[in-house]
Each structure stands twice: as C-alpha cells, then as structure tokens.
C-alpha cells in the first residue's frame, strides 16, 4: 500500500509539473490591425493611443479570453495585405464574398451600409448611373471593391480614408463619394462641407466582423466565444451606446420673452386711436 500511495503522489507531481508551463504562460499575444482615421470605429488619438468602438470590443473580448491585443494601424489596403500574409492576426471590417476568399471571419457584431453622397438636387438610384462620373472612395475599401465588381464604369478617385472622400466632393475633385453612412454623417456634422448630402438609397448592406489571418483558424473560435460572452453580459450593447450612438443634439433654449412684449401691440393700437382722434378733432376745428 505505501508503494501504491507513493506512485499516486509521484503521478500527481508529474501532472502538476506538466501543467506549470501553461499556468505560467501569460495571455496570448494578438496583433490587431486597422485604419488610423476610421472614427468612431478605430483610430489613433492625438497622443497616438488606439481608440474607438472596435478597440473597446477587442479589449473586452481579450479580458474574457486571456488575450493580449496590440494594435497596429496603417494604410488600409496595405493592412489587408498584412492580414492575408500573417503579419497581423485580426482586422475589423465589412464581410464580403471576395474577402471570405482571403480571410476567415468571426461572428458579426454589427450590420452597416453605405450611401452615395453628392450635392443637393442630385439623385442616383443604381450604380450604373455612375458611369463616367468621378466617385471618391477609400482605396481598398468595401466601396472600392464593390464598384469594381459591379462594373459601374465609374472613374474612381482613391482616398486615404473615408471622410476624405466627402472633402473631395466639396472641393470639386469628385462628383460623388461612396462611404459608410454612419462615418459620413459624423463627418458632415463635424465639418463645413457645404451642400453635400445623401443622394442614393442605402447600398452595400453588410455584416461587420473581425477578419482573421487564414493561418489562425483557432483564433476564430476564441473571438466568437468572447463576442458571445460580451453580448450575453450586455457589454457589447453598452459599448455601442458609448461609441456609436450620435450625441444628443443640443437644443438651444429659447430666451424668455420680455414681460412687456405682449403689451406692445395693445399700446400701438391705443396710440393709433389717439392719433386718429386728434386728427379728426383738428379737421373739425378747421370746418
């Protein structure tokens, strides 16, 4: 019996030693790519720190799944190439059939769409109406891919970021800009872009998810589990409220009317009556 107990203790000790590396290992490093100017989803703040809804979502997932996200932002087209070649592990983006051939995807956590923007009075119903027209889009973005696939024969004006497409229209360097409606509306509210407004129905309604390096299929399961956890806890809804809900419009309080203002019309009527009587009396005196 003592020999059996000794063997059991030895087996337990060996098992504990085998588990030590896993216990000692820290969170799994995760390289997350993005665009430095994609407000409010992901961007670099003035101090160079990563900010935005996508950053907050990934950070919440990381707490659930013991991940250590490190954010690397850069030019969008190059960032997609880096993801495809394994230089980054995940990038938040719209889901499309073309992109599904290049990347794996987590479960979606948003549904978004694009809208065409132009000058007041213009209306465009279908992409074929853009033939020969200059359309500003982000290079390598969803709108860029879609217009090429749709063979709209538009003259594409590539921009470094989505909001710059609106500036191109305002400056007369493009006839239209095609970009996500939520980003466009924030940019229009923040800057003086003249009479730029939506000129098409919603286009390109797509899921929004984390694109994943195709060589890391196990990461999809980790992200899905984390997303499911923060959805169930209400954390995802809270982050949407914090980052994506437009700020309530500040309604200017009307100044109270002076207390004497309602008396003015009455006083004017009385004054007019007095003037009329004086003139009539003067006329009677002359007679």
């Amino acid at each position: 019996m003592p020999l059996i107990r000794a063997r059991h203790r030895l087996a337990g000790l060996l098992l504990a030693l085998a588990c030590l590396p896993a216990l000692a290992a820290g969170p799994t490093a995760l390289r997350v790519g993005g665009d430095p100017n994609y407000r409010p989803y992901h961007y670099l703040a003035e101090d160079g720190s990563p900010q935005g809804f996508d950053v907050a979502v990934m950070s919440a997932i990381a707490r659930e799944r013991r991940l250590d996200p490190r954010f690397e932002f850069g030019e969008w087209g190059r960032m997609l190439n880096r993801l495809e070649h394994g230089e980054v592990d995940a990038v938040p983006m719209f889901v499309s059939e073309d992109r599904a051939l290049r990347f794996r995807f987590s479960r979606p956590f948003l549904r978004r769409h694009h809208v065409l923007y132009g000058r007041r009075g213009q209306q465009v119903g279908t992409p074929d109406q853009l033939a020969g027209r200059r359309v500003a889009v982000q290079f390598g973005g969803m709108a860029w891919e879609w217009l090429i696939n749709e063979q709209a024969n538009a003259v594409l004006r590539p921009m470094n970021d989505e909001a710059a497409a609106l500036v191109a229209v305002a400056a007369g360097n493009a006839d239209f800009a095609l970009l996500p409606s939520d980003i466009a509306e924030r940019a229009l509210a923040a800057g003086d872009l003249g009479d730029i407004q939506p000129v098409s129905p919603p286009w390109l309604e797509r899921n929004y998810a984390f694109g994943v390096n195709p060589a890391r299929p196990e990461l999809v399961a980790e992200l899905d589990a984390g997303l499911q956890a923060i959805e169930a806890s209400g954390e995802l809804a809270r982050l949407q409220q914090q980052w994506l809900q437009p700020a309530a419009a500040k309604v200017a309080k009307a100044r109270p009317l002076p207390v004497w203002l309602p008396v003015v019309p009455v006083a004017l009527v009385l004054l007019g009556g007095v003037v009329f009587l004086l003139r009539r009396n003067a006329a009677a005196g002359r007679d």
Side-chain angles (χ1 to χ4, degrees), residues 86-97:
E87 296 176 17
V88 292
D89 301 309
V91 176
M93 67 177 79
F94 284 99
V95 180
S96 71
E97 292 182 1

Side-chain angles (χ1 to χ4, degrees), residues 173-192:
N173 297 324
D175 301 310
F176 301 102
L178 182 58
L179 65 159
S181 59
D182 45 10
I183 290 179
E185 293 304 322
R186 285 175 178 267
L188 290 173
D192 183 12

Side-chain angles (χ1 to χ4, degrees), residues 12-23:
L13 179 60
L14 292 175
L15 180 61
L17 290 173
C19 292
L20 279 178
L23 294 173

Side-chain angles (χ1 to χ4, degrees), residues 27-171:
T28 302
L30 181 66
R31 299 164 299 174
V32 184
D35 185 326
N37 300 303
Y38 199 64
R39 293 173 181 265
Y41 290 91
H42 52 266
Y43 60 94
L44 290 179
E46 292 182 1
D47 62 359
S49 62
Q51 300 289 336
F53 172 71
D54 297 332
V55 174
V57 169
M58 181 59 82
S59 298
I61 292 172
R63 289 191 294 271
E64 292 286 339
R65 306 303 300 176
R66 296 192 77 243
L67 301 173
D68 180 19
R70 301 170 188 179
F71 298 93
E72 304 176 18
F73 294 167
E75 189 273 321
W76 182 248
R78 184 170 180 272
M79 190 57 63
L80 295 184
N81 288 334
R82 291 187 64 195
L83 178 64
E84 187 173 17
H85 293 95
E87 296 176 17
V88 292
D89 301 309
V91 176
M93 67 177 79
F94 284 99
V95 180
S96 71
E97 292 182 1
D98 285 349
R99 291 178 176 180
L101 298 176
R102 301 174 64 188
F103 317 117
R104 297 177 183 269
F105 280 96
S106 72
R107 61 188 290 166
F109 53 95
L110 283 177
R111 184 82 172 168
R112 301 170 60 202
H113 64 267
H114 288 57
V115 168
L116 190 73
Y117 289 80
R119 297 195 177 277
R120 185 177 291 111
Q122 297 175 311
Q123 286 297 322
V124 178
T126 58
D128 60 279
Q129 293 178 258
L130 297 176
R133 308 302 298 274
R134 301 169 301 166
V135 182
V137 292
Q138 184 179 34
F139 177 73
M142 189 73 257
W144 169 277
E145 295 178 10
W146 185 68
L147 287 174
I148 292 175
N149 289 340
E150 289 292 309
Q151 298 181 347
N153 295 319
V155 180
L156 299 185
R157 290 285 188 263
M159 299 288 141
N160 286 332
D161 62 76
E162 301 279 15
L166 294 173
V167 177
V169 177

Side-chain angles (χ1 to χ4, degrees), residues 219-280:
L219 182 56
V220 174
E222 289 288 340
L223 295 177
D224 284 352
L227 281 167
Q228 187 172 9
I230 65 174
E231 286 175 7
S233 68
E235 177 73 359
L236 182 60
R238 186 189 68 77
L239 293 175
Q240 289 175 338
Q241 180 71 27
Q242 176 184 348
W243 287 100
L244 304 183
Q245 293 299 321
K250 295 182 179 179
V251 179
K253 294 182 178 180
R255 293 182 179 179
L257 294 175
V259 294
W260 47 264
L261 190 59
V263 181
V264 171
V266 178
L268 290 175
V269 171
L270 292 175
L271 180 61
V274 171
V275 171
F276 173 76
L277 290 174
L278 289 175
R279 287 180 176 176
R280 190 174 68 174

